[in-house]
Structures are given as structure tokens and as C-alpha cells.
Amino acid sequence: MSAPAPEVCDVARAALAWASAHRADFALREDALAADGQVNRSWKPLGELAQVCATVTRRTPPGDPLHRHAADLLAFAWRQTGEGELFLRLQRLEPFATYPLEVYAALAAAGFRHPAYEAAAATVARTRGWRLTEQEPTRRLGVLMAEEHGRIHRDEPADRALRRTWLGGLPEPWTFERSAGYALTHVVFHLTDWGRGGGGVPDDLTAYLAHWLPPWIDTCLDARMWDLACELLAVAASVPGLPDDAVPDDAWQRTAAARDASGALPEEGDAGDPGDPGAYFAHHYHSTLMAAFAAVLTAGQGVPV
């Protein structure tokens, strides 16, 4: 594997610095436990922050500033959940919702645990209602992996869910589009435990990705779909055995050039108006986290996890 482009480490540093500077925007809102609360505006950003930072701490040495930034943000995220107590309250309010377990799993991967929540979640997971909840295959795969982090062990084989996903079925490559792209990246993230290890990607999927990741990444960069492009760059850095040319030569230069002066990366298109803080955060937080995620994985390729 060749050395990463010089922009890679700069993207990682700037993205995590931006997340640290905007940590208050990741904080849970007052409606975090409300029945009509906006999960996508509260739990989702916090969970994504935890997921990325759990990987950064695993893939960087303790003395690295990236590691310190990520560890600090993980501690912040854990405090936001009342050191896990809010998961227990959520589980009682919405026993069959999967998002509390999925967010908890990201923190558990970094060593943060709440035994009472795990016990309560395990009780619900033994019900037929939980086992028979209908979910899209990619989400099903993610829930199965989250259960493992929550110390819930189910007999359902992950391979059954995998082979029902878009990527697992090895579809015609020209059917790739936005929703398929996000589905395939998350399949890889689930299989590799978000770049932290995991069971790995089957050989036939690896061979398929080796052929088609380069044009897909290039297409997303041309379309200025920065968020999806970064997820695909993370896939390229997560799957062992992919060739060097799985990533276009100028991918990181183009990604770095799309950032604004603060180091934030828009989800798509231009940076947007920083005069509206709420809209600006919503348009930048996920893509900036994905830039950090992909950059850390790229810089750390070949480093044991």
C-alpha cells in the first residue's frame, strides 16, 4: 500500500478540531426522551460522533493529538447520555426501538458500558416481537452487530442478512446510485466493525469492490457528493486486499479543496451560509465526521487494530 496523500492527515486533524469546536451542537436536546423528539437531530449526531471517535481512538496511538481529540469527544458523548442512564430510560419508553442500542454499541466499542441497560435490552431481545421486527437488510445487519456490542447473542446468522443487501447480492454496477451507495458503505462498516476489525468482507465482495469503487468514488467527487465520497473512501481503506488504484489519485486533493476555512466539509456542493448556525451544522457535521473517519483509516492502513 502506497503512502497516503499529504492532504489525508490535514483533513483528519482539521475535521476533528472542527468537531471539538462544535461539540455543543452534538449535545442531546431537551426532547431527547420525548415521544415526538427529533431523533435525527439529537441521538443520531451524537451516535455518529461516538462511532467515528471510537474508531479514531482504536487506530491512533495515545500520544497522537487525533487520539486525544477523539477520546475527549467520546467522554463528552458518554456524559451526554448520563453515563448510560438515558439508554435505560429510553429502553423503557421505547422498548422495541433499535436506535438506542445502536448508539450504545458505538460507545460500548470504546469501553463505555452500563450493565443495567444491557440487562434490560437483553430481556427485550429475547421476545418474538424484537426478533421478528421487519427491517431492511442493511439495517438488520447493523442491529445484529450492535447486539454483539451490547452482549446480546442471537442465533440469526449475519450472512443471511448480508446476502440480502444491495452489496451482498453483487448487483449490476450501473445500478449504483445514492441510496445504494450509502447501503453498501454501511454493509462494509458493519462487517469491519467500523474499521476496528470485525469478521471481515467476503472475498467475492472484495473482488467486486476492487473493480467498481474507483468509478463510483470518481462519480461522487465529480457530482460534489462529498459525504458519500468520504464514506466510499473509508470503504477503500477498510477492506484488506484492495489494490492501490481503488482510490483515484486526486481523490484526497479534491476532498480537501472542498472544505471551508474552518475545516468543515459540506455534505454536497458548496459550503453554505455560516450565518445560520443550525443549518450550517446540519449541512456539515456528518460529512466532516466521515472525512475524519476516512482519513484516519487511510493514514492507518496496515496498522493493527
Side-chain angles (χ1 to χ4, degrees):
M1 183 66 66
S2 60
E7 291 83 1
V8 172
C9 292
D10 179 61
V11 166
R13 285 192 295 267
L16 280 181
W18 184 90
S20 293
H22 289 79
R23 73 177 60 208
D25 295 313
F26 288 96
L28 291 178
R29 301 166 181 267
E30 292 181 358
D31 65 351
L33 297 179
D36 58 349
Q38 297 294 314
V39 173
N40 286 341
R41 296 177 59 191
S42 57
W43 286 99
K44 184 172 182 286
L46 189 72
E48 287 164 344
L49 179 71
Q51 194 72 269
V52 168
C53 289
T55 295
V56 174
T57 57
R58 184 75 64 87
R59 299 300 296 264
T60 55
D64 190 320
L66 291 174
H67 186 101
R68 291 197 299 269
H69 268 309
D72 186 48
L73 287 167
L74 279 169
F76 161 80
W78 185 240
R79 290 194 301 271
Q80 284 295 305
T81 71
E83 298 187 340
E85 191 64 24
L86 290 190
F87 290 115
L88 184 59
R89 293 173 63 185
L90 262 181
Q91 200 275 335
R92 290 167 177 166
L93 290 168
E94 297 184 74
F96 293 98
T98 61
Y99 73 88
L101 179 63
E102 292 169 278
V103 175
Y104 178 81
L107 288 158
F112 297 95
R113 293 197 171 273
H114 192 285
Y117 168 69
E118 292 184 8
T123 298
V124 172
R126 288 194 291 268
T127 66
R128 292 189 297 275
W130 177 272
R131 296 196 305 272
L132 298 174
T133 297
E134 297 186 15
Q135 295 158 331
E136 291 185 356
T138 302
R139 184 67 179 274
R140 188 71 162 191
L141 185 63
V143 171
L144 289 172
M145 300 305 165
E147 288 177 349
E148 289 295 317
H149 277 301
R151 295 173 175 162
I152 297 168
H153 304 291
R154 198 197 301 197
D155 291 335
E156 181 178 344
D159 187 64
R160 182 185 304 167
L162 169 62
R163 292 302 172 177
R164 293 184 59 238
T165 66
W166 188 87
L167 177 61
L170 302 176
E172 299 83 357
W174 49 264
T175 63
F176 175 89
E177 39 74 45
R178 183 193 306 270
S179 62
Y182 281 110
L184 86 85
T185 60
H186 281 71
V187 165
V188 173
F189 298 160
H190 298 323
L191 292 176
T192 62
D193 193 19
W194 288 77
R196 298 184 291 263
V201 178
D203 290 344
D204 58 337
L205 270 61
T206 297
Y208 179 80
L209 290 169
H211 281 293
W212 300 114
L213 264 181
W216 291 339
I217 292 172
D218 200 44
T219 295
C220 289
L221 291 170
D222 281 346
R224 300 196 301 167
M225 298 170 63
W226 311 117
D227 186 64
L228 182 52
C230 284
E231 290 206 6
L232 292 170
L233 288 171
V235 166
S238 299
V239 181
L242 293 182
D244 286 355
D245 61 4
V247 174
D249 289 340
D250 63 347
W252 281 104
Q253 291 92 324
R254 293 159 73 183
T255 301
R259 299 173 298 167
D260 65 21
S262 72
L265 182 72
E267 286 196 3
E268 296 186 18
D270 297 325
D273 181 14
D276 183 345
Y280 178 85
F281 178 77
H283 187 54
H284 289 77
Y285 87 86
H286 189 267
S287 40
T288 303
L289 288 176
M290 287 300 102
F293 178 56
V296 167
L297 290 177
T298 299
Q301 282 177 302
V303 176
V305 296

